[in-house]
Amino acid sequence: MATLAPPSPHDAPHRPNIAAAGQPLPAIRDYEQVDREILATLRPTKGWFALLLVAVACLGLGIAAWMYQIQQGLGVAGYNPPVMWGVYIITFVFWIGIGHAGTLISAILFLFRAGFRTTIYRCAEAMTVFAVMTAGLFPILHLGRPWKFFWLVPYPNWRFIWPQFKSPLVWDVFAISTYLTISATFLFIGLIPDIATLRDRERNPVKKRILSALSFGWRNSEREWRHFARAYLFLAAFSTPLVLSVHSVVSFDFAMSLVPGWHTTIFAPYFVAGAIFSGMGMVFTIIIPIRKFFRLEHYVTLNVMDAGAKLTLFTSLVVGCAYLVEFFIAWYGAVPVEQDYFWNRLFGQWWWAAWIMLTCNMILPLSLFSQRLRRNPAWLWILSLFINLGMWFERFVIIVPGLSHEYEPWQWSGYIPTWVDYSILLGSFGWFFMWFLLFIKNLPVVAITEVKEIVPPKVRAGHRHGGGH
Amino acid sequence: MMQGMLGAFREIDAAVAAIEDLKERKVGAITVFTPAPRHEFEHALKPPRSPVRRYTLIGALSGAVFGYWIAIWASESWPLVVGGKAVSTWVPYTIFSFELMVLIGGLSTVAGFFIHARIPRVTMTVGYDPRFSAGHYGVWVQCAPEKLRDAEAILRRYGAEEVRGAE
Amino acid sequence: MSADQAGIGPPRVGTPEGQSPGRAEGTVQRREFLKVLGVTGAATTLVGCYSESIEKLIPYVVSPDNTVPGVSNYYATTCRECPAGCGLLVETRDGRAIKAEGNPDHPVNRGALCARGQAGVQGLYNPDRYRGPMLREGGTLVPTTWDRAIQTLSTKLAEARNSGAAAGAVFINQHEQGSFPAFLDQWLASQGLPPHLSYDAEAPLGAIAANRAQYGVAWPKLDFQAAKLVVSFAADYLDGWGLTVPQQLAFAEARARLEGAPRVVYIGARRSLTGLNSDAWIPARPGTVKSVADALLGAITGRATGVTLAQAADQAGVSAAALESLAAELRSARPSLLIAGGASERAADMALTVAELNRVLGNVGVTVKPFEGFLAYEGVASQAAVRAAAEQMAAGRVALAFVRGANPAHTTPAPVKFAEAFQKVPFKVSFSSYPDETSSLCDLVLPDHHGLESWGDAEPVRGTLGLQQPVMDPVFNTRATADVLIAVAKANAATAFRYPADYRAWIASRIGGNAALAAALPTGLMRGAALAAWAPRPVAAKSGGGLAASAGEYFLYAYHSPALGDGRGANKPWLQELPDPVTKIAWQTVIELHPETAKKLGIAEGDHATIETGQGSLTAPVYLYIGLRPDTIALATGRGHTAYGRYAEGCGANVMALLPVAEDARSGAQALVSTKATIRKAVGRSLLVTTEGSGRQHGRGIARALTAEQLAQGETHDEHETFRGQAKTEFLPGLRSPVANDAQGDLGDPTSKDKGQYDPAHWSGAAKRRWAMTIDLARCTGCSACVTACYAENNIPTVGASWQGPQFLPDRTGLGSNITRGREMAWMRLERYFEIDREPKDVEFDPDFETRLIPMLCQHCGNAPCEPVCPVYATYHSPDGLNVQVYNRCVGTRYCSNNCPYKVRYFNWFGYGEPNRQQYAFPEPLHWQLNPDVTVRAKGVMEKCTFCVQRIREAQNRAKLENRELQPDEFTTACAQACPSRAIVFGDAADEKWSVTRRIEDARAYHVFEELNTYTAVVYLKKVNHPPRAAAAKA
Amino acid sequence: MTGSRKWLAIGGIAAIAIVASLMSAFAGPPQAASAPAASQPAKETATQLANREATGKAPPGPWAYSGASGYTNYLGQGTGRSPVQPIAFPHPVHVNTLKMNCVFCHFAAGQSPDPGMPAVGTCMGCHQLVAVDRPEVKKLADYHTRKLPVPWVRVHKLPEYVRFPHMRHINAGVTCQSCHGQVNNMPQVFQYASLNMGWCVSCHVNGYSPAEGLRAAGYEPDSAALAAPRKKATYDCSHCHY
């Protein structure tokens, strides 16, 4: 009686992968197909185990290096006064930035009803949570006395003293802990219905119990859906200003000081744009392999890629503009110290870092003006790696040259990280990917129910289905 | 004493039609299970607006106030001057106000959602079926014993794939 | 003993007699006691929350009646770090000397003290000192007992006497003034031994000989104040040449006369610290200063002196015009002061010429005052005498040799082959307290007390006797040499009767008994004269064949390191860590080359280069110094020890390996500038252990200067008061925020109700004060005494030793492991800026450049940028205007340092203060010196200058105890106290009775980085330059 | 399901605990870790019980807990700590019976930051003649003849980064007992106050009441003391920490 024959799992990926009006995912026929194909991604593979092993190994190295640093003192890292902040703070800002794209895609684009987010937002949101978890380690890790980090938290104590609330570092503590909590909650709320689906498909009784616990006994009742929608909407509404505030606050760490090159009013927007830019880079780095190896090309379609690439291009242009404005202000402001600093950044001591930054973040992304490249996953993936590199160096270029070339010429210096810095940097990637790998094989990387929402429901023969209006 | 009739539909418009009919005849309380939120059901059931927003508002306001309070009170409790600034300066303290507004607002929203969605629930109530998280729409009519027949009849009429009563 | 003179002299100044527990007993218990107390003393200054371990409370066995536990006593004594004989007040706490300070009443140093004097305590507590007497058995030195040691010595002496070999014996003693040399000679005579050699490798013998010949005294007083023009003929009177402290005091006083101050000209191949403090530099080729002097004499007197100015200019490779104008100036500017230094083979002749110049210019008695002179160098033997002694030893004519203090094996040129010759002596006795190159060759080591442990006297100026008394019990099982000699004499019935019980009794008997001694000790000064020693025996000098004759295209210019001297300072970490005032290099020997030369040779800074002379070769990294003639290579003495303890060994190279035996025919002085050398690039390069980032100001206006004329015309503002990008603001001189709460936001607002403790009306009255400091750049010479004083007062760790880096997989280890990463901890640093806009490597030679020297320390800003960024209130502004650092609250975010424009905050990268770490900076017993009033910082916390807050609180407590207000200028900081230029003044800027407030009102006053609106509490007074009259007229 | 949620929570807390202990293991210079905790009673010993009965004063309760030196902490320090001394010196006999003043032996308390421990010689001043036959006095005499100091075990100990000028407090009229308790009634001295920062600051900020001080010392305050206002002191960090 149905006009369309139920599609077989085999031919699904081979369908023409282009957008049809009012039908974003033409290759998805019905709800069962969604369940089948998404659940299929959860089966662990050899390659996955191998990657997990590598991630854990890197993490181990990082932990070892940190223990050594705690025992010996921060001297084992490559600090070279007055460069008192180095790889750790750079990496901290880097990971915080990564997080932002996730929230942008999952929350802001949700509010803007941008359809292309549907299939990638779960991945991006998970990336956010793990990136912030990683970033959160670094402020503690770079302390001279890390075992005292809790003194930055306002808690009643027998000394009667409290944190100094005028310090940007205390702002950080609040901003980041809030950001972590809210995005973790946001991710988990979104997951509940999907976990319920997993629960219902699960055969293994132990796993079933765990999934039941995690799904909170969700049963897809219309009442649950109603409140769910509200809560989801408000969380999205909160996350939107939050994501803007968090990186602004991080930028205050620099803008509030009077270090040349840090003391700029442009920093808040500049950092937020940069954060989203770097985040898009990481999204592509992650989503493109997943799309390929999990056979999700007909979920994460080229249209999705295209839209993402446009967003990347846009943020890249914003960031590039910010770079140029910085130079303009330095020239126009005519403060000798600032001018010295920017000259030194571009043509002096740090030219190499600055040019890596400019190439990766300003020049290469211009290729995305070409639609062919925007729709070419391979190129997008390579470009995304360059973007990650470039954004790490952006933070390097902001932090190190400023400190090494300050007001006091007598105290000008250089900066060379040591093996400890690099090990801990590597360890942070290990930590991030460990969590991410565990995530993608235990929970659906594509939001099952949200995909079902945009798949046309079955209707009785003869009737037009009621969806879409 | 819980009694009712459960119908599992493959097609959404069938389910919607059945619901409308059941409502018309006042057969009993209707619960709909759907794999994905569809506004067709909302049109059919016309439920009240979700009160979660109130939790959000209250949480957000109290968070904002607490943010200012903790910062100002702590600064004044041991007044030390830093960088020639006032002991408590409201401008930077706005950051704490904002962050705590978001934090507490967000968490209370979740609380509201849990409370009103009646989760976490410890046991699956009768009438649920794993299919409802896959491709089927479920309509569960809870009604008095004498009305069970009508309910079954209606569900069948609108082409429920399966109709079963439950104790 | 101490009771009967308790009332004499300044309060809390006395003698430590009877102060230490169990002094009747043997040394062991004393040391045990001190060890325990030392340990607790150090432990009580460790930061870290959970670091309290349960301790013992150790009381005295017998309570000393003039000490109060926890309160310092000050003992007056005499400094023995160099022959000058400055007066010390040594601060002791609970039986331990913790700091050496200048004695304000002393005629030589008037309360000031140089870096080497400060570091004396590190000699006292040096971890590598001999623990007790040592005897060579089976080729190695093994510990022995004093009885056995003395017994051995007396038998050897007896043998020598009987065998008639005694007459050939040699006793080399570190030159010192006072009665001991005479005492020693008496003893030697009584043992049938010849008089001793009073050896001082640093003594400027040429000048001394000339002075003796001309004035009959070794060292006249140089009166800079009286002079209108000072010309130094390679005399580095601010670098340790002669008597540093009195010279510097006089120099600074003279320069502080601003418009009336003398113009200073320096003639010499290398621009030393003295040269950098001069207004003009005439870079005469090494060995030609004599002909310059001759020419000037000729030009002024009209006599024929063999050279005209033109010829001299030609020989010296300088512009004739410069010499012409100098001659003109000499004629016009009277009185002038001409000082002859230099270490060439004709030093004495040159000095005579200069003396003649002084005479004809009528300076003698006006600026050169022979009869107010210093006696430091009376009786010093020539280096030729030591060389001759070495030849005797080599010839096997010496049966018995003694060395005390001196270290000729390190300080004599290689060709002397002192070590080899010394080893030929059958029996060698050392009284040295340290295992240096010489004493480690000896057969018997009888370690002497340190100067701070022993009795003695000195006659720094005629008629005044400076006393030397032990300020604490001996740290180790050592004995004063004098007492050992007495013991030996007593062992022999023939001589026993001549001597009292010990040297202290001997001193007392000379100056009128115990009562007189006791009366004098509180001030450490009395009228009287020391016993005169025998005059040194003249020895035929040996010529190295002349500078011109020697091969090589570059002149080798060796000079004595201002900090380490001839090398005796090398075992003191403070002095190793102290950057050389000129090169700013620490822990390292560098070859100084002019950038031009380096470019020509294709050598970059840090590259290793090899110098070769006829005598030997030496390889070291290259440092580019623009204050050096391009045809000259400069090298400092002092490093390159093969023994002498953990801090000295394997650190740098010894220039003595390059020098020939070339002695001044007249004075027998070993010439340091005596040969040419070849230099070539060697493989390898190493990081320079320097504290210098960029030696240029880049227009930042940190160290500012005026010309005397500008000052006279009241043009005291310079371009830095107005900076681009902002409306012109007319900054008034003086401290911008006179009391703390002026710069305190709404707390400074009179309408604000509750200012708490920041309210001047607050009951605590804390906000009534505003601690502040002025630093007069017209006085500061950059000698860096303040830096070492700060180390001593504030328990600042030295971090440059090779083992103080990371534990494994180390990076950049070796010398200055941390300093190469810019991690030096000096709370106060001396910045040396060349007023040249090019970077060093592309500077071509030009003698006419200005140098600005400026001490940089925490500015204690009223609006401190470091404070608001600290998340835990570890740094904040105290009501009395201090920028406080609370170590135990610091979590180590280092944000404060990032935000400090002056970069004066220092971070503990390793556990320098934690005894069980390899990076520990105070290995026992160095930690006995730690100041109990200052927390020793643990790893991971930030630290910085505190304006010596411990001294502020101590003074406030004392005032409270005596129920009175603080008196104006009642106390000062360690740097201000030590400063031999009196450039630093500290006090309460809110109270005009303190002298600092007057200095702040000076027209030259300015704040560094004023445009940042930091309201600093440190006010600098602009340097005053004295360009030649002609140039000034143009300016 | 509730069960498994509970287990999740327990696991999380355990993890946090492990991390915290790891952190604290690295806290401070290592010798802190090796502090002689074993020798110190973690619980109240019989001696301390006796002490408290003798003084009739209970040490502050756990609310006075402090990480540094509050209620007996894992270093075995804090309120109630009562180490056994090399010589069982009876304060009650000297102070109550013989009416000796504190500063007779702790002579520097009024003039120095350091109260000073009596020298062995000082003790022997009397004990040459007095009670020479007592075993404890024999010990003392033995130390004296061997010219060795008595290794008293420290009871009241502030962290090393705290400066406590005794004379300022004594001269301000603070009675010794206010901080040290009625040592004159302690058979064996124990730590009376928590000595933590909050304890210091509360007195500095709220002020010291002479009357209370006298009561703490066991005297009835006279009218003057009762009339006297509370004496406040500075709460500026740089007066105790530098």
Side-chain angles (χ1 to χ4, degrees), chain C residues 982-994:
Chain C
R982 296 278 167 257
I984 307 174
V985 175
F986 173 83
D988 176 5
D991 178 352
E992 66 287 344
K993 291 197 292 300
W994 291 70

Side-chain angles (χ1 to χ4, degrees), chain C residues 147 246 453 486 563 571 592 612 744 747 800 865 869 908 993:
Chain C
D147 298 344
E453 297 167 327
I486 289 173
N571 65 340
E592 294 171 40
E612 271 177 11
Q744 302 295 331
L747 290 172
V869 298
N908 284 272
K993 291 197 292 300

Side-chain angles (χ1 to χ4, degrees), chain C residues 471-776:
Chain C
V471 300
M472 66 181 287
D473 285 310
V475 180
F476 296 118
N477 184 13
T478 57
R479 268 193 209 183
T481 301
D483 289 340
V484 174
L485 299 181
I486 289 173
V488 171
K490 286 200 168 304
N492 173 356
T495 50
F497 65 92
R498 296 193 195 172
Y499 292 97
D502 58 9
Y503 190 59
R504 185 190 155 285
W506 188 84
I507 295 263
S509 63
R510 280 200 52 258
I511 61 172
N514 281 336
L517 181 62
L521 281 176
T523 56
L525 291 167
M526 67 189 294
R527 307 289 312 154
L531 245 61
W534 270 267
R537 298 157 291 177
V539 181
K542 236 189 183 182
S543 169
L547 183 52
S550 58
E553 66 205 284
Y554 295 100
F555 295 96
L556 179 64
Y557 187 96
Y559 63 95
H560 284 302
S561 154
L564 305 177
D566 59 4
R568 68 188 80 161
N571 65 340
K572 303 178 182 65
W574 288 345
L575 296 181
Q576 285 277 18
E577 186 107 339
L578 181 67
D580 178 281
V582 175
T583 63
K584 293 295 164 187
I585 300 278
W587 293 98
Q588 203 175 32
T589 299
V590 289
I591 297 171
E592 294 171 40
L593 280 184
H594 190 279
E596 264 183 33
T597 321
K599 195 171 278 173
K600 204 168 78 209
L601 297 165
I603 298 177
E605 195 161 63
D607 286 350
H608 289 197
T610 304
I611 305 178
E612 271 177 11
T613 65
Q615 286 64 39
S617 78
L618 176 154
T619 303
V622 166
Y623 169 78
L624 302 183
Y625 180 41
I626 62 175
L628 187 66
R629 280 184 63 89
D631 59 3
T632 307
I633 306 166
L635 266 173
T637 62
R639 292 202 171 88
H641 283 272
T642 56
Y644 205 35
R646 69 192 73 177
Y647 292 106
E649 276 167 52
C651 173
N654 187 1
V655 64
M656 288 298 162
L658 297 177
L659 296 183
V661 178
E663 285 151 359
D664 177 357
R666 195 181 289 269
S667 68
Q670 166 61 42
L672 292 174
V673 185
S674 56
T675 180
K676 285 183 167 177
T678 59
I679 181 167
R680 62 166 199 283
K681 194 168 187 297
V683 289
R685 76 185 259 102
S686 45
L687 294 155
L688 292 185
V689 187
T690 177
T691 59
E692 176 177 3
S694 165
R696 310 287 182 277
Q697 290 204 63
H698 298 267
R700 307 282 168 102
I702 294 161
R704 305 183 195 169
L706 298 164
T707 63
E709 283 67 18
Q710 280 174 313
L711 191 61
Q713 294 149 19
E715 303 165 4
T716 56
H717 291 290
D718 59 40
E719 75 281 6
H720 294 295
E721 268 79 358
T722 66
F723 39 90
R724 288 185 296 152
Q726 279 204 9
K728 185 177 188 315
T729 32
E730 191 62 25
F731 284 112
L732 302 165
L735 199 59
R736 307 277 179 261
S737 48
V739 292
N741 62 1
D742 272 19
Q744 302 295 331
D746 73 341
L747 290 172
D749 165 12
T751 62
S752 93
K753 287 285 157 287
D754 174 25
K755 302 182 194 173
Q757 58 181 3
Y758 293 88
D759 185 343
H762 188 253
W763 58 264
S764 71
K768 282 207 187 67
R769 301 200 178 276
R770 170 75 154 114
W771 301 112
M773 178 181 281
T774 58
I775 300 179
D776 188 344

Side-chain angles (χ1 to χ4, degrees), chain A residues 68 71-72 74-75 77-80 82 84-85 142 144-145 164 167 253 257-258 340 406 408-410 416, chain C residues 693-694 700 807-808 812 821 823 831-832 868-871 888 890-895 898-899 903 909 917:
Chain A
Y68 173 61
Q71 191 274 336
Q72 280 276 292
L74 271 182
Y79 293 107
N80 188 348
M84 290 282 191
W85 285 358
H142 102 294
R145 301 201 292 168
Q164 203 270 90
S167 166
D253 287 352
S257 80
L258 41 69
D340 269 20
E406 255 205 65
E408 254 268 334
W410 193 257
I416 301 174
Chain C
S694 165
R700 307 282 168 102
Q807 200 157 27
F808 78 92
R812 303 188 174 198
R821 274 203 183 272
R823 293 174 183 172
E831 303 184 345
R832 187 256 301 114
V869 298
C870 175
N888 46 303
C890 177
V891 296
T893 67
R894 308 187 297 292
Y895 199 172
N898 288 351
N899 214 23
K903 290 282 165 272
W909 298 103
R917 296 184 173 277

Side-chain angles (χ1 to χ4, degrees), chain D:
Chain D
M1 299 188 197
T2 40
S4 42
R5 267 209 305 284
K6 189 176 70 196
W7 285 113
L8 279 176
I10 290 170
I13 291 162
I16 292 165
I18 290 161
V19 170
S21 45
L22 267 178
M23 288 287 191
S24 59
F26 286 104
Q31 77 268 26
S34 66
S39 68
Q40 306 311 329
K43 285 171 65 267
E44 183 173 62
T45 63
T47 343
Q48 293 165 10
L49 196 64
N51 282 331
R52 293 219 270 99
E53 278 152 4
T55 55
K57 269 185 158 296
W63 45 264
Y65 171 82
S66 94
S69 57
Y71 204 69
T72 310
N73 64 16
Y74 69 92
L75 291 179
Q77 292 163 302
T79 314
R81 195 174 65 82
S82 176
V84 179
Q85 300 290 353
I87 297 177
F89 177 80
H91 276 97
V93 178
H94 291 80
V95 182
N96 296 349
T97 320
L98 305 172
K99 298 270 170 285
M100 289 164 66
N101 189 323
C102 306
V103 293
F104 182 83
C105 300
H106 305 284
F107 57 100
Q111 41 182 326
S112 156
D114 176 352
M117 289 294 282
V120 181
T122 317
C123 306
M124 290 310 285
C126 299
H127 284 292
Q128 298 279 15
L129 315 165
V130 183
V132 283
D133 54 344
R134 304 264 175 79
E136 296 299 315
V137 179
K138 284 212 177 69
K139 281 192 209 164
L140 175 71
D142 180 44
Y143 279 111
H144 187 249
T145 44
R146 287 187 293 137
K147 290 265 189 297
L148 283 179
V150 185
W152 300 108
V153 183
R154 190 159 190 161
V155 179
H156 288 83
K157 169 90 168 63
L158 287 172
E160 292 83 3
Y161 44 79
V162 181
R163 313 265 162 250
F164 182 83
H166 268 88
M167 71 284 199
R168 287 298 290 268
H169 295 79
I170 299 294
N171 298 333
V174 179
T175 58
C176 309
Q177 291 90 338
S178 315
C179 308
H180 292 282
Q182 296 189 3
V183 176
N184 53 325
N185 294 329
M186 298 181 190
Q188 175 178 314
V189 180
F190 65 89
Q191 181 173 336
Y192 166 79
S194 76
L195 301 183
N196 69 34
M197 178 165 154
W199 176 82
C200 297
V201 169
S202 53
C203 192
H204 271 231
V205 172
N206 306 330
Y208 167 81
S209 143
E212 282 171 23
L214 285 171
R215 286 209 195 82
Y219 307 111
E220 245 338 286
D222 53 8
S223 56
L226 289 166
R230 299 182 83 89
K231 252 185 174 336
K232 294 193 178 195
T234 177
Y235 54 91
D236 178 31
C237 314
S238 69
H239 277 72
C240 310
H241 299 298
Y242 50 80

